[in-house]
Amino acid sequence: QVQLVESGGGLVQPGGSLRLSCVASRSIFSISAMGWYRQAPGKERELVAAITSGVSPKYADSVKGRFTISADSAKNTVYLQMNSLKPEDTAVYYCNAKVFFTGVDYWGKGTLVTVSS
């Protein structure tokens, strides 16, 4: 069993920055693809960024050049650095781990990011 806990959300003005963190209760990054998803009210949950060891990070077109995903395996933590935030980035952001071979998904409970002036 793996628990994922997100933090770092909050209210920020357009053009501002936030860094989200996702801490895993187990050392799983070597056997998992890690990702950040977001879901705005009334919208489908969408992939924002993903990282897998040995593979270049993947980003949604809408955040490419503004967001950066990274991982610190020693701390069992994945980060999402969000710069140049826009109102359309407002959503609940969820951490996800997809375990290789088993296909099991683990989800955090989300952290709310609100971009507004």
Side-chain angles (χ1 to χ4, degrees):
Q1 187 72 19
V2 177
Q3 287 78 47
L4 304 175
V5 180
E6 306 99 332
S7 63
L11 175 64
V12 64
Q13 294 185 344
S17 298
L18 285 174
R19 188 181 74 163
L20 306 184
S21 299
C22 170
V23 180
S25 62
R26 302 279 191 276
S27 180
I28 61 169
F29 299 160
S30 64
I31 60 170
S32 305
M34 304 299 300
W36 286 96
Y37 291 73
R38 68 185 181 188
Q39 188 167 24
K43 302 290 187 178
E44 295 277 324
R45 187 173 297 188
E46 64 174 341
L47 177 67
V48 176
I51 187 168
T52 302
S53 180
V55 181
S56 298
K58 176 182 178 181
Y59 299 95
D61 288 341
S62 60
V63 308
K64 196 170 297 182
R66 299 187 297 121
F67 291 11
T68 302
I69 187 171
S70 62
D72 186 339
S73 59
K75 296 182 178 180
N76 293 330
T77 303
V78 175
Y79 303 97
L80 184 67
Q81 179 66 46
M82 305 185 293
N83 298 325
S84 302
L85 284 161
K86 304 174 180 179
E88 51 262 45
D89 295 319
T90 296
V92 177
Y93 285 71
Y94 298 91
C95 182
N96 169 261
K98 187 181 297 293
V99 180
F100 301 144
F101 302 111
T102 70
V104 174
D105 275 310
Y106 295 97
W107 293 91
K109 294 189 180 298
T111 185
L112 177 63
V113 173
T114 302
V115 185
S116 176
S117 60

